[in-house]
Coordinates of all heavy atoms in Angstrom, one line a residue:
M1 N -40.1 80.5 -40.5 CA -39.0 80.1 -39.7 C -37.7 80.1 -40.6 O -37.7 79.6 -41.7 CB -39.2 78.7 -39.1 CG -38.0 78.3 -38.3 SD -38.3 76.6 -37.6 CE -37.4 75.7 -38.9
I2 N -36.7 80.7 -40.1 CA -35.4 80.7 -40.8 C -34.3 80.2 -39.9 O -34.2 80.6 -38.7 CB -35.0 82.2 -41.2 CG1 -36.0 82.7 -42.2 CG2 -33.6 82.2 -41.8 CD1 -35.7 84.1 -42.6
S3 N -33.6 79.2 -40.3 CA -32.5 78.7 -39.5 C -31.2 78.7 -40.4 O -31.2 78.5 -41.6 CB -32.7 77.2 -39.1 OG -32.6 76.3 -40.2
M4 N -30.1 79.1 -39.7 CA -28.8 79.2 -40.4 C -27.8 78.5 -39.6 O -27.8 78.5 -38.4 CB -28.4 80.7 -40.5 CG -29.3 81.5 -41.5 SD -28.7 83.2 -41.6 CE -27.5 83.0 -42.8
A5 N -26.8 77.9 -40.4 CA -25.6 77.3 -39.8 C -24.4 77.7 -40.6 O -24.4 77.5 -41.8 CB -25.8 75.8 -39.7
N6 N -23.5 78.4 -40.0 CA -22.3 78.8 -40.7 C -21.1 78.1 -40.1 O -21.0 78.1 -38.8 CB -22.1 80.3 -40.6 CG -23.2 81.1 -41.4 OD1 -23.7 80.6 -42.4 ND2 -23.6 82.2 -40.8
L7 N -20.2 77.6 -40.9 CA -19.0 77.0 -40.4 C -17.8 77.7 -41.1 O -17.8 77.7 -42.3 CB -19.0 75.5 -40.7 CG -17.8 74.7 -40.5 CD1 -17.5 74.6 -39.0 CD2 -17.8 73.3 -41.1
V8 N -16.9 78.2 -40.3 CA -15.7 78.8 -40.8 C -14.5 78.2 -40.2 O -14.5 78.0 -39.0 CB -15.7 80.4 -40.5 CG1 -14.4 81.0 -41.0 CG2 -16.9 81.0 -41.2
K9 N -13.5 77.8 -41.0 CA -12.3 77.2 -40.6 C -11.1 78.1 -41.0 O -11.1 78.6 -42.1 CB -12.1 75.8 -41.2 CG -12.7 74.8 -40.4 CD -12.7 73.4 -41.1 CE -11.4 72.8 -41.4 NZ -11.5 71.4 -41.9
V10 N -10.2 78.3 -40.1 CA -8.9 79.0 -40.4 C -7.8 78.1 -40.1 O -7.7 77.6 -39.0 CB -8.8 80.3 -39.6 CG1 -7.5 81.0 -39.9 CG2 -10.0 81.2 -39.8
E11 N -6.9 77.9 -41.1 CA -5.8 76.9 -41.0 C -4.6 77.5 -41.5 O -4.6 78.4 -42.4 CB -6.1 75.6 -41.8 CG -7.4 74.9 -41.3 CD -7.7 73.7 -42.2 OE1 -8.0 74.0 -43.4 OE2 -7.8 72.6 -41.7
L12 N -3.4 77.1 -41.0 CA -2.1 77.5 -41.5 C -1.4 76.3 -42.1 O -1.2 75.3 -41.4 CB -1.3 78.1 -40.4 CG -0.1 78.9 -40.7 CD1 -0.4 80.0 -41.6 CD2 0.6 79.4 -39.5
E13 N -1.2 76.3 -43.4 CA -0.6 75.2 -44.1 C 0.9 75.4 -44.3 O 1.3 76.5 -44.8 CB -1.3 75.0 -45.5 CG -2.7 74.6 -45.4 CD -3.3 74.6 -46.8 OE1 -2.8 75.2 -47.8 OE2 -4.3 73.9 -47.0
E14 N 1.7 74.5 -43.9 CA 3.1 74.5 -44.1 C 3.8 75.8 -43.5 O 4.8 76.2 -44.0 CB 3.5 74.4 -45.6 CG 3.0 73.1 -46.2 CD 3.2 73.0 -47.7 OE1 4.0 73.8 -48.2 OE2 2.7 72.1 -48.3
G15 N 3.1 76.4 -42.6 CA 3.6 77.6 -41.9 C 3.7 78.8 -42.7 O 4.1 79.9 -42.2
S16 N 3.2 78.8 -44.0 CA 3.3 80.0 -44.8 C 2.1 80.3 -45.6 O 2.1 81.3 -46.3 CB 4.5 79.9 -45.7 OG 4.4 78.9 -46.6
V17 N 1.1 79.5 -45.6 CA -0.2 79.7 -46.3 C -1.3 79.7 -45.4 O -1.6 78.7 -44.7 CB -0.4 78.6 -47.4 CG1 -1.7 78.8 -48.2 CG2 0.8 78.6 -48.4
L18 N -2.0 80.8 -45.3 CA -3.2 81.0 -44.5 C -4.4 80.5 -45.3 O -4.7 81.1 -46.4 CB -3.4 82.4 -44.1 CG -4.6 82.7 -43.1 CD1 -4.3 82.0 -41.8 CD2 -4.8 84.2 -43.0
K19 N -5.2 79.6 -44.8 CA -6.3 79.0 -45.6 C -7.6 79.3 -44.8 O -7.7 78.9 -43.6 CB -6.2 77.5 -45.8 CG -7.3 76.8 -46.4 CD -7.0 75.3 -46.5 CE -8.3 74.5 -46.9 NZ -8.0 73.1 -46.8
I20 N -8.5 80.0 -45.4 CA -9.8 80.3 -44.8 C -10.9 79.7 -45.6 O -11.0 79.9 -46.8 CB -10.1 81.8 -44.7 CG1 -8.9 82.5 -43.9 CG2 -11.4 82.2 -44.1 CD1 -9.0 84.0 -43.8
S21 N -11.7 78.8 -45.0 CA -12.8 78.1 -45.7 C -14.0 78.2 -44.9 O -14.0 78.4 -43.7 CB -12.4 76.7 -46.0 OG -12.1 76.0 -44.8
G22 N -15.1 78.0 -45.6 CA -16.4 78.0 -44.8 C -17.5 77.4 -45.7 O -17.4 77.2 -46.9
E23 N -18.6 77.2 -45.0 CA -19.8 76.7 -45.6 C -21.0 77.3 -44.9 O -21.1 77.5 -43.7 CB -19.9 75.2 -45.4 CG -21.0 74.5 -46.1 CD -20.9 73.0 -46.0 OE1 -19.9 72.5 -45.6 OE2 -21.9 72.4 -46.4
R24 N -22.0 77.6 -45.7 CA -23.2 78.3 -45.2 C -24.4 77.4 -45.6 O -24.6 76.9 -46.7 CB -23.4 79.6 -45.8 CG -24.6 80.4 -45.3 CD -24.7 81.7 -45.9 NE -25.5 81.6 -47.1 CZ -25.9 82.5 -47.9 NH1 -25.5 83.8 -47.6 NH2 -26.5 82.4 -49.0
K25 N -25.3 77.1 -44.6 CA -26.5 76.4 -44.8 C -27.6 77.2 -44.3 O -27.6 77.7 -43.1 CB -26.5 75.1 -44.1 CG -25.4 74.1 -44.7 CD -25.5 72.8 -43.9 CE -24.4 71.9 -44.4 NZ -24.3 70.7 -43.7
R26 N -28.6 77.4 -45.1 CA -29.8 78.3 -44.7 C -31.1 77.6 -45.1 O -31.2 77.1 -46.2 CB -29.7 79.6 -45.3 CG -30.8 80.5 -44.9 CD -30.7 81.9 -45.6 NE -31.8 82.7 -45.2 CZ -32.2 83.7 -45.9 NH1 -31.6 84.1 -47.0 NH2 -33.3 84.4 -45.6
E27 N -32.0 77.5 -44.2 CA -33.3 76.9 -44.4 C -34.4 77.9 -44.1 O -34.4 78.5 -43.0 CB -33.4 75.6 -43.6 CG -33.8 74.4 -44.3 CD -33.8 73.2 -43.5 OE1 -34.8 73.0 -42.7 OE2 -32.9 72.4 -43.6
K28 N -35.3 78.0 -45.0 CA -36.4 78.9 -44.7 C -37.7 78.1 -45.0 O -37.9 77.5 -46.0 CB -36.3 80.1 -45.7 CG -37.5 81.1 -45.6 CD -37.2 82.2 -46.6 CE -38.4 83.2 -46.6 NZ -38.3 84.2 -47.6
A29 N -38.7 78.3 -44.0 CA -39.9 77.6 -44.2 C -41.1 78.5 -43.9 O -41.1 79.3 -42.9 CB -40.0 76.4 -43.2
E30 N -42.0 78.6 -44.8 CA -43.2 79.4 -44.6 C -44.5 78.5 -44.9 O -44.4 77.5 -45.7 CB -43.3 80.5 -45.6 CG -42.2 81.6 -45.4 CD -42.3 82.7 -46.3 OE1 -43.3 83.0 -46.9 OE2 -41.2 83.4 -46.5
K31 N -45.5 78.8 -44.2 CA -46.7 78.0 -44.3 C -48.0 78.8 -44.2 O -48.0 79.7 -43.4 CB -46.6 77.0 -43.1 CG -47.6 75.9 -43.1 CD -47.1 74.9 -42.0 CE -48.3 74.3 -41.3 NZ -47.9 73.4 -40.2
S32 N -49.0 78.4 -45.0 CA -50.3 79.1 -44.8 C -51.3 77.9 -44.9 O -51.0 76.8 -44.9 CB -50.5 80.1 -45.9 OG -50.9 79.5 -47.1
D33 N -52.6 78.3 -44.9 CA -53.6 77.3 -45.0 C -53.6 76.5 -46.3 O -54.1 75.4 -46.3 CB -55.0 78.0 -44.8 CG -55.1 78.6 -43.4 OD1 -54.4 78.1 -42.5 OD2 -55.9 79.5 -43.2
T34 N -53.2 77.1 -47.4 CA -53.3 76.5 -48.7 C -52.0 76.1 -49.3 O -51.9 75.4 -50.3 CB -54.0 77.4 -49.7 OG1 -53.3 78.6 -49.8 CG2 -55.5 77.6 -49.2
W35 N -50.8 76.6 -48.8 CA -49.6 76.3 -49.4 C -48.5 76.2 -48.3 O -48.6 76.7 -47.2 CB -49.2 77.3 -50.5 CG -49.1 78.7 -50.0 CD1 -50.2 79.6 -49.9 CD2 -48.0 79.4 -49.4 NE1 -49.8 80.8 -49.4 CE2 -48.5 80.7 -49.0 CE3 -46.7 79.1 -49.1 CZ2 -47.6 81.6 -48.4 CZ3 -45.9 80.0 -48.5 CH2 -46.4 81.3 -48.2
R36 N -47.4 75.6 -48.8 CA -46.2 75.4 -47.9 C -44.9 75.7 -48.7 O -44.8 75.2 -49.9 CB -46.2 74.0 -47.4 CG -45.4 73.8 -46.2 CD -45.5 72.3 -45.8 NE -46.4 72.2 -44.6 CZ -46.4 71.2 -43.8 NH1 -45.6 70.1 -44.1 NH2 -47.1 71.2 -42.8
L37 N -44.0 76.4 -48.2 CA -42.7 76.8 -48.9 C -41.5 76.4 -48.1 O -41.4 76.7 -46.9 CB -42.7 78.3 -49.2 CG -41.3 78.8 -49.7 CD1 -41.1 78.4 -51.2 CD2 -41.3 80.3 -49.6
F38 N -40.6 75.6 -48.7 CA -39.4 75.3 -48.1 C -38.3 75.7 -49.0 O -38.3 75.3 -50.2 CB -39.2 73.7 -47.8 CG -40.1 73.3 -46.7 CD1 -41.3 72.7 -47.0 CD2 -39.7 73.4 -45.4 CE1 -42.1 72.2 -46.0 CE2 -40.5 72.9 -44.4 CZ -41.7 72.3 -44.7
E39 N -37.3 76.5 -48.5 CA -36.2 77.0 -49.4 C -34.9 76.6 -48.7 O -34.7 77.0 -47.5 CB -36.4 78.5 -49.6 CG -35.4 79.1 -50.5 CD -35.6 80.6 -50.7 OE1 -36.4 81.2 -50.0 OE2 -34.8 81.1 -51.5
R40 N -34.0 76.0 -49.4 CA -32.7 75.7 -48.8 C -31.6 76.3 -49.7 O -31.6 76.2 -50.9 CB -32.5 74.2 -48.8 CG -33.4 73.5 -47.8 CD -33.1 72.0 -47.7 NE -33.9 71.4 -46.7 CZ -35.0 70.7 -46.9 NH1 -35.4 70.6 -48.1 NH2 -35.7 70.2 -45.9
T41 N -30.7 77.0 -49.0 CA -29.6 77.6 -49.7 C -28.3 77.1 -49.0 O -28.1 77.1 -47.8 CB -29.6 79.1 -49.5 OG1 -30.9 79.6 -49.9 CG2 -28.6 79.8 -50.3
T42 N -27.4 76.7 -49.9 CA -26.1 76.2 -49.4 C -25.0 76.8 -50.2 O -25.2 77.2 -51.4 CB -25.9 74.7 -49.4 OG1 -26.0 74.2 -50.7 CG2 -26.9 74.0 -48.5
G43 N -23.8 77.0 -49.7 CA -22.7 77.5 -50.4 C -21.4 77.3 -49.6 O -21.4 77.3 -48.4
S44 N -20.3 77.3 -50.3 CA -19.0 77.2 -49.6 C -18.0 78.1 -50.3 O -18.2 78.5 -51.4 CB -18.5 75.7 -49.7 OG -18.3 75.3 -51.0
F45 N -16.9 78.4 -49.6 CA -15.9 79.2 -50.1 C -14.5 78.8 -49.6 O -14.5 78.1 -48.6 CB -16.1 80.7 -49.8 CG -16.0 81.0 -48.3 CD1 -14.8 81.4 -47.8 CD2 -17.1 80.9 -47.5 CE1 -14.7 81.6 -46.4 CE2 -17.0 81.2 -46.1 CZ -15.8 81.6 -45.6
L46 N -13.5 79.1 -50.3 CA -12.1 78.8 -49.9 C -11.2 79.9 -50.4 O -11.2 80.2 -51.6 CB -11.7 77.5 -50.5 CG -10.2 77.1 -50.4 CD1 -9.9 76.8 -48.9 CD2 -10.0 75.8 -51.2
R47 N -10.4 80.4 -49.5 CA -9.4 81.4 -49.9 C -8.0 81.0 -49.3 O -8.0 80.6 -48.2 CB -9.7 82.8 -49.4 CG -11.1 83.4 -49.9 CD -11.0 83.7 -51.4 NE -12.2 84.3 -51.8 CZ -13.3 83.7 -52.3 NH1 -13.3 82.4 -52.3 NH2 -14.4 84.3 -52.7
R48 N -7.0 81.3 -50.1 CA -5.6 81.0 -49.6 C -4.8 82.3 -49.7 O -4.9 82.9 -50.8 CB -5.0 79.9 -50.4 CG -5.4 78.5 -50.0 CD -4.5 77.4 -50.6 NE -4.8 76.1 -50.1 CZ -5.7 75.3 -50.7 NH1 -6.3 75.6 -51.8 NH2 -5.9 74.1 -50.1
F49 N -4.0 82.6 -48.7 CA -3.1 83.7 -48.7 C -1.7 83.3 -48.4 O -1.5 82.6 -47.4 CB -3.6 84.8 -47.7 CG -5.0 85.2 -47.9 CD1 -6.0 84.6 -47.2 CD2 -5.3 86.2 -48.7 CE1 -7.3 85.0 -47.3 CE2 -6.6 86.6 -48.9 CZ -7.6 86.0 -48.2
N50 N -0.7 83.7 -49.3 CA 0.7 83.4 -49.0 C 1.1 84.5 -48.0 O 1.0 85.7 -48.2 CB 1.5 83.5 -50.2 CG 1.2 82.3 -51.2 OD1 1.1 81.2 -50.7 ND2 1.2 82.6 -52.4
L51 N 1.7 84.0 -46.9 CA 2.2 84.9 -45.8 C 3.6 85.3 -46.0 O 4.4 84.5 -46.6 CB 2.0 84.3 -44.5 CG 0.5 84.0 -44.1 CD1 0.5 83.3 -42.7 CD2 -0.3 85.2 -44.1
P52 N 4.1 86.4 -45.6 CA 5.5 86.8 -45.7 C 6.4 85.9 -44.9 O 6.0 85.2 -44.0 CB 5.6 88.2 -45.2 CG 4.2 88.6 -44.7 CD 3.3 87.5 -45.0
E53 N 7.7 85.9 -45.3 CA 8.7 85.0 -44.6 C 8.8 85.3 -43.1 O 9.1 84.4 -42.3 CB 10.0 85.1 -45.3 CG 10.1 84.5 -46.7 CD 11.4 84.7 -47.3 OE1 12.4 85.0 -46.6 OE2 11.5 84.5 -48.5
N54 N 8.6 86.6 -42.7 CA 8.9 86.9 -41.3 C 7.6 86.8 -40.5 O 7.5 87.4 -39.4 CB 9.4 88.4 -41.3 CG 8.4 89.4 -41.8 OD1 7.5 89.0 -42.6 ND2 8.6 90.6 -41.5
T55 N 6.7 85.9 -40.8 CA 5.5 85.7 -40.1 C 5.8 84.8 -38.9 O 6.5 83.8 -39.0 CB 4.4 85.0 -40.9 OG1 4.1 85.8 -42.0 CG2 3.2 84.7 -40.1
K56 N 5.2 85.1 -37.7 CA 5.3 84.3 -36.5 C 4.2 83.3 -36.6 O 3.1 83.6 -36.1 CB 5.2 85.1 -35.2 CG 6.4 86.0 -35.0 CD 6.2 86.7 -33.7 CE 7.3 87.6 -33.3 NZ 7.1 88.3 -32.0
A57 N 4.4 82.1 -37.2 CA 3.3 81.2 -37.4 C 2.7 80.7 -36.2 O 1.5 80.4 -36.1 CB 3.9 80.0 -38.2
D58 N 3.4 80.5 -35.1 CA 2.8 80.0 -33.8 C 1.9 81.0 -33.1 O 1.2 80.7 -32.2 CB 3.9 79.6 -32.9 CG 4.7 78.4 -33.4 OD1 4.2 77.6 -34.2 OD2 5.9 78.2 -33.0
D59 N 2.0 82.3 -33.5 CA 1.2 83.3 -32.9 C 0.0 83.9 -33.7 O -0.6 84.9 -33.3 CB 2.1 84.5 -32.5 CG 3.2 84.1 -31.5 OD1 2.9 83.2 -30.7 OD2 4.2 84.8 -31.5
V60 N -0.3 83.2 -34.8 CA -1.5 83.6 -35.6 C -2.8 83.3 -34.8 O -2.9 82.3 -34.2 CB -1.5 82.8 -36.9 CG1 -2.8 83.2 -37.7 CG2 -0.3 83.2 -37.8
K61 N -3.7 84.3 -34.8 CA -4.9 84.2 -34.0 C -6.1 84.6 -34.9 O -6.0 85.4 -35.8 CB -4.9 85.1 -32.8 CG -3.8 84.7 -31.8 CD -3.9 85.6 -30.6 CE -2.9 85.3 -29.5 NZ -2.0 84.3 -29.6
A62 N -7.3 84.0 -34.6 CA -8.5 84.3 -35.3 C -9.6 84.5 -34.3 O -9.7 83.8 -33.3 CB -8.8 83.2 -36.3
A63 N -10.5 85.4 -34.6 CA -11.7 85.7 -33.7 C -12.9 86.1 -34.6 O -12.7 86.7 -35.6 CB -11.4 86.8 -32.7
M64 N -14.0 85.6 -34.1 CA -15.3 85.9 -34.9 C -16.2 86.7 -33.9 O -16.5 86.2 -32.8 CB -15.9 84.6 -35.4 CG -17.3 84.8 -36.0 SD -17.2 85.1 -37.8 CE -16.7 83.5 -38.4
E65 N -16.6 87.9 -34.3 CA -17.6 88.6 -33.5 C -18.6 89.3 -34.4 O -18.3 90.0 -35.3 CB -16.8 89.7 -32.7 CG -17.6 90.4 -31.7 CD -16.8 91.3 -30.8 OE1 -15.6 91.1 -30.6 OE2 -17.4 92.3 -30.3
N66 N -19.9 89.0 -34.1 CA -21.0 89.6 -34.8 C -20.9 89.3 -36.3 O -21.1 90.1 -37.2 CB -21.1 91.1 -34.6 CG -21.4 91.5 -33.2 OD1 -22.2 90.7 -32.5 ND2 -20.9 92.5 -32.7
G67 N -20.4 88.1 -36.7 CA -20.3 87.7 -38.1 C -19.1 88.2 -38.8 O -18.9 88.0 -40.0
V68 N -18.1 88.9 -38.1 CA -16.9 89.4 -38.7 C -15.7 88.6 -38.2 O -15.5 88.5 -37.0 CB -16.7 90.9 -38.3 CG1 -15.4 91.5 -38.9 CG2 -17.9 91.7 -38.8
L69 N -15.0 88.0 -39.2 CA -13.8 87.3 -38.9 C -12.6 88.2 -38.9 O -12.4 88.9 -39.9 CB -13.6 86.2 -39.9 CG -12.4 85.3 -39.8 CD1 -12.4 84.5 -38.5 CD2 -12.2 84.4 -41.0
T70 N -11.8 88.2 -37.8 CA -10.6 88.9 -37.7 C -9.4 88.0 -37.5 O -9.4 87.2 -36.6 CB -10.6 89.9 -36.6 OG1 -11.8 90.8 -36.7 CG2 -9.4 90.8 -36.5
V71 N -8.5 88.0 -38.4 CA -7.3 87.2 -38.3 C -6.1 88.1 -38.1 O -5.8 89.0 -38.9 CB -7.1 86.3 -39.6 CG1 -5.8 85.5 -39.5 CG2 -8.3 85.5 -39.9
T72 N -5.3 87.8 -37.0 CA -4.2 88.6 -36.7 C -2.9 87.7 -37.0 O -2.8 86.6 -36.5 CB -4.2 88.9 -35.2 OG1 -5.4 89.6 -34.9 CG2 -3.0 89.8 -34.8
V73 N -2.1 88.3 -37.8 CA -0.8 87.6 -38.3 C 0.3 88.5 -37.8 O 0.7 89.4 -38.5 CB -0.8 87.4 -39.8 CG1 0.4 86.6 -40.2 CG2 -2.1 86.6 -40.2
P74 N 1.0 88.2 -36.7 CA 2.1 89.0 -36.3 C 3.4 88.6 -37.1 O 3.5 87.5 -37.6 CB 2.3 88.6 -34.8 CG 1.6 87.3 -34.6 CD 0.6 87.2 -35.7
K75 N 4.2 89.6 -37.2 CA 5.5 89.5 -37.9 C 6.6 89.7 -37.0 O 6.5 90.5 -36.1 CB 5.5 90.4 -39.1 CG 4.5 90.2 -40.1 CD 4.7 91.0 -41.4 CE 4.6 92.5 -41.1 NZ 4.7 93.3 -42.3
E76 N 7.7 89.0 -37.3 CA 8.9 89.2 -36.5 C 9.5 90.6 -37.0 O 9.4 90.9 -38.1 CB 10.0 88.1 -36.8 CG 9.5 86.8 -36.3 CD 10.5 85.7 -36.6 OE1 11.6 85.9 -37.2 OE2 10.2 84.5 -36.3
E77 N 10.1 91.2 -36.0 CA 10.7 92.5 -36.4 C 12.0 92.3 -37.2 O 12.8 91.5 -36.9 CB 11.2 93.2 -35.1 CG 11.6 94.7 -35.3 CD 11.8 95.4 -34.0 OE1 11.0 95.3 -33.1 OE2 12.8 96.1 -33.9
V78 N 12.0 93.0 -38.3 CA 13.2 92.8 -39.3 C 14.2 93.8 -38.8 O 14.0 95.0 -38.7 CB 12.7 93.1 -40.7 CG1 13.9 93.1 -41.6 CG2 11.7 92.2 -41.1
K79 N 15.4 93.3 -38.6 CA 16.5 94.2 -38.1 C 17.0 95.0 -39.3 O 17.3 94.4 -40.4 CB 17.6 93.4 -37.5 CG 17.3 92.7 -36.2 CD 18.5 92.0 -35.7 CE 18.1 91.3 -34.4 NZ 19.2 90.6 -33.7
K80 N 17.1 96.3 -39.1 CA 17.7 97.1 -40.2 C 19.2 96.9 -40.2 O 19.8 96.8 -39.2 CB 17.3 98.6 -39.9 CG 15.8 98.8 -39.9 CD 15.5 100.3 -39.6 CE 14.0 100.5 -39.6 NZ 13.7 101.9 -39.3
P81 N 19.7 96.9 -41.4 CA 21.2 96.8 -41.5 C 21.9 97.9 -40.9 O 21.4 99.1 -41.0 CB 21.4 96.7 -43.0 CG 20.2 97.3 -43.7 CD 19.1 97.1 -42.7
E82 N 23.0 97.6 -40.2 CA 23.8 98.6 -39.5 C 24.5 99.4 -40.6 O 25.2 98.9 -41.5 CB 24.7 98.0 -38.5 CG 25.5 99.0 -37.7 CD 26.4 98.3 -36.7 OE1 26.0 97.2 -36.2 OE2 27.5 98.8 -36.5
V83 N 24.5 100.7 -40.5 CA 25.2 101.6 -41.4 C 26.3 102.3 -40.6 O 26.1 102.9 -39.6 CB 24.2 102.7 -42.0 CG1 25.0 103.6 -42.9 CG2 23.0 102.0 -42.7
K84 N 27.5 102.1 -41.2 CA 28.7 102.7 -40.6 C 29.3 103.7 -41.5 O 29.5 103.4 -42.7 CB 29.7 101.6 -40.3 CG 30.9 102.1 -39.6 CD 31.8 100.9 -39.3 CE 33.1 101.4 -38.7 NZ 34.1 100.3 -38.4
S85 N 29.5 104.9 -41.1 CA 30.0 105.9 -41.9 C 31.6 105.7 -41.9 O 32.2 105.5 -40.9 CB 29.7 107.3 -41.3 OG 30.1 108.3 -42.1
I86 N 32.1 105.9 -43.1 CA 33.6 105.7 -43.3 C 34.1 107.1 -43.7 O 33.6 107.7 -44.7 CB 33.9 104.7 -44.4 CG1 33.3 103.3 -43.9 CG2 35.4 104.6 -44.7 CD1 33.4 102.2 -45.0
K87 N 35.1 107.5 -43.0 CA 35.7 108.8 -43.2 C 36.6 108.7 -44.5 O 37.4 107.8 -44.7 CB 36.6 109.2 -42.0 CG 36.9 110.6 -42.0 CD 37.6 110.9 -40.6 CE 37.6 112.4 -40.5 NZ 38.2 112.8 -39.2
I88 N 36.5 109.7 -45.3 CA 37.3 109.8 -46.5 C 38.5 110.7 -46.3 O 38.3 111.9 -45.9 CB 36.5 110.2 -47.7 CG1 35.3 109.3 -47.9 CG2 37.3 110.3 -49.0 CD1 34.3 109.8 -48.9
Y89 N 39.7 110.2 -46.6 CA 40.9 111.0 -46.5 C 41.4 111.4 -47.9 O 41.2 110.7 -48.9 CB 42.0 110.2 -45.8 CG 41.7 109.9 -44.4 CD1 41.2 108.7 -44.0 CD2 41.9 110.9 -43.4 CE1 40.9 108.4 -42.7 CE2 41.6 110.6 -42.1 CZ 41.1 109.3 -41.7 OH 40.9 109.0 -40.4
G90 N 42.0 112.6 -48.0 CA 42.7 112.9 -49.2 C 42.5 114.3 -49.7 O 41.9 115.1 -49.9

């Protein structure tokens, strides 16, 4: 018998740091007439990412599907500076 429990948290700290953390717990048990085996594996992780200044902090989304975490971080559109051509006389 194998049982697994995975916990993943996605947080936004101070509006500019994306924090992804998690913990994995796994238990494996095997049994026969003469012996018994119990194996436990645990582990945790933590990653932090500095986000760009133009991030829309209120619109950050996360989804987990088939064990794959997808984090969407939308950015505000940066306005390009207006370029005005100046005529040269002379």
Side-chain angles (χ1 to χ4, degrees):
M1 177 181 97
I2 297 176
S3 72
M4 291 182 84
N6 293 324
L7 171 68
V8 177
K9 274 172 60 173
V10 178
E11 299 171 303
L12 194 59
E13 297 177 335
E14 300 175 14
S16 64
V17 178
L18 183 68
K19 177 181 165 185
I20 301 174
S21 60
E23 186 175 348
R24 182 178 88 175
K25 295 180 183 177
R26 179 178 177 202
E27 231 176 76
K28 179 181 176 183
E30 293 181 24
K31 186 171 147 179
S32 81
D33 294 336
T34 58
W35 56 270
R36 204 179 250 200
L37 170 72
F38 288 99
E39 185 179 5
R40 291 186 177 100
T41 307
T42 60
S44 61
F45 67 91
L46 170 67
R47 301 290 184 271
R48 282 191 171 95
F49 303 94
N50 291 320
L51 299 178
E53 290 180 17
N54 60 341
T55 299
K56 292 182 179 179
D58 294 336
D59 295 335
V60 175
K61 295 185 182 355
M64 175 92 67
E65 187 174 334
N66 297 325
V68 177
L69 176 66
T70 302
V71 180
T72 305
V73 182
K75 298 189 296 184
E76 293 178 4
E77 190 174 315
V78 177
K79 293 183 181 180
K80 295 180 182 178
E82 185 177 321
V83 177
K84 181 179 177 183
S85 184
I86 298 173
K87 197 171 192 179
I88 302 173
Y89 295 99

